[in-house]
Amino acid sequence: MKFTTVLLLLGQICAMTFGEVFKKKFTKKSPFLLSLICLSSALLTFVVIFFIQNGFNFSGYSLNLLKFAIPFGLCFAISTIFSILALECGDLSLTGLFVSFSLILPTLYGIIFLGDSVNFLFYIGLTLFFASLILVNLKFGKGAKKRKPITIKWLIFVALSFFSNGFCCIFQTMQQKAHNGQCGSELMITALSLAVVILIVATLITERKNIKTATPSALVWGAPSGFLIAMNNFIVMLFTGGNLMPVAIFFPVISGGGLILTFILGRLIYKEKYLALQYVGIALGFVSIILLNL
């Protein structure tokens, strides 16, 4: 693997992880407002990227682009909204685990539709990665907290978040492949604009009374998070559009890297206490990344 590819991978993992860290710093109970500000910040970032890359040349916009951007934007908004709703009525770690499993969708897309070449070590690595997700998120053993009961409502919300999150990755990859790695900023601007409009409606319906008091804090943590979300997606498109790594391998690798970095930050910065099996899970995640790249 080239040194520049490794640097881009590390940059993507850091952007993805620290974007979530900033969001978690927001303590007000206004998740839709926070998501709105995050995506608005990401949208503004991609507008700046577009003008740096293209100036006032809008030739990249076309009806062909819209057939990817519209479903991508809808999936982005659906994933955001229903992950919030799932967290409100279900267990945090279990919800995060199921949404993390959504990476299997772009992985299968890469193998079945893009013809990504994988060997038996890939399947071992992928299995270890999913085992790692389970051990780290579910906190088995002595000291584990009691979980909220699983309800039909939670299952519906988490299923919608699972599929929409997975299809976000697929539509983004499809567009980059169809346009030879071009028009990524145009895709993101169109998709994020649609998602922002949907979240404005959701925020006004559910959190209108809290907007005034929660906005200052949401801006402090949501704006930098949105910038990192944009950088995350920008690097993702460099990989999927530039064929730097097979799609089937790329998504598990960045998810595993994000899992490990989040674990390290939790231990060193937030002084979180982990169970023995969680350390086993992180070790499996590290091994899985190595196997996925062999």
Side-chain angles (χ1 to χ4, degrees):
M1 189 183 296
K2 294 182 179 178
F3 181 66
T4 52
T5 302
V6 174
L7 284 181
L8 284 172
L9 269 177
L10 292 175
Q12 193 281 334
I13 290 168
C14 288
M16 176 178 65
T17 304
F18 282 101
E20 291 301 314
V21 168
F22 278 115
K23 286 172 68 176
K24 289 176 182 177
K25 285 286 187 179
F26 181 69
T27 56
K28 305 286 184 179
K29 290 186 177 181
S30 301
F32 288 115
L33 176 64
L34 176 65
S35 297
L36 171 60
I37 290 175
C38 284
L39 295 193
S40 298
S41 174
L43 172 59
L44 180 61
T45 302
F46 269 108
V47 169
V48 173
I49 291 173
F50 172 83
F51 282 109
I52 291 173
Q53 291 178 326
N54 304 290
F56 289 91
N57 181 6
F58 299 97
S59 60
Y61 283 97
S62 65
L63 290 176
N64 188 46
L65 180 75
L66 290 178
K67 73 180 184 183
F68 300 107
I70 291 175
F72 179 33
L74 288 172
C75 285
F76 212 126
I78 291 169
S79 176
T80 301
I81 289 171
F82 284 99
S83 62
I84 290 170
L85 293 176
L87 287 170
E88 288 182 347
C89 66
D91 185 79
L92 173 63
S93 58
L94 197 58
T95 300
L97 175 66
F98 272 83
V99 175
S100 297
F101 277 165
S102 65
L103 71 90
I104 194 63
L105 298 179
T107 300
L108 291 174
Y109 173 77
I111 295 171
I112 297 170
F113 294 99
L114 300 180
D116 288 344
S117 178
V118 295
N119 54 31
F120 77 98
L121 289 177
F122 166 84
Y123 293 104
I124 295 174
L126 193 63
T127 301
L128 290 178
F129 171 67
F130 285 129
S132 171
L133 281 177
I134 292 170
L135 291 174
V136 170
N137 284 283
L138 293 194
K139 303 177 184 179
F140 294 106
K142 188 177 179 181
K145 295 180 181 178
K146 186 178 180 181
R147 306 183 193 286
K148 291 182 180 179
I150 294 175
T151 63
I152 296 296
K153 183 166 70 171
W154 177 81
L155 286 172
I156 293 171
F157 290 161
V158 83
L160 287 168
S161 184
F162 170 90
F163 284 107
S164 57
N165 191 61
F167 276 101
C168 273
C169 301
I170 291 174
F171 284 123
Q172 190 178 49
T173 301
M174 289 172 67
Q175 184 276 327
Q176 283 293 282
K177 297 297 184 184
H179 291 82
N180 297 314
Q182 302 300 311
C183 304
S185 295
E186 291 91 332
L187 170 76
M188 294 303 302
I189 289 170
T190 307
L192 286 170
S193 296
L194 177 58
V196 164
V197 170
I198 294 172
L199 279 168
I200 287 174
V201 175
T203 302
L204 290 175
I205 291 174
T206 61
E207 299 172 359
R208 182 182 300 178
K209 294 180 180 179
N210 300 329
I211 290 176
K212 186 175 181 180
T213 55
T215 295
S217 179
L219 283 171
V220 169
W221 301 112
S225 175
F227 170 76
L228 291 171
I229 288 171
M231 291 297 98
N232 170 26
N233 280 274
F234 182 76
I235 297 174
V236 166
M237 289 186 292
L238 289 179
F239 274 88
T240 57
N243 298 314
L244 297 181
M245 181 181 288
V247 170
I249 296 175
F250 173 66
F251 285 105
V253 166
I254 61 172
S255 296
L259 181 72
I260 292 171
L261 181 56
T262 301
F263 193 88
I264 293 172
L265 290 175
R267 186 71 185 89
L268 296 182
I269 297 178
Y270 298 104
K271 308 300 180 183
E272 293 183 3
K273 294 181 179 180
Y274 295 122
L275 305 175
L277 283 177
Q278 287 181 286
Y279 285 103
V280 173
I282 284 298
L284 290 179
F286 185 76
V287 172
S288 74
I289 291 177
I290 295 174
L291 292 176
L292 288 167
N293 283 281
L294 291 179

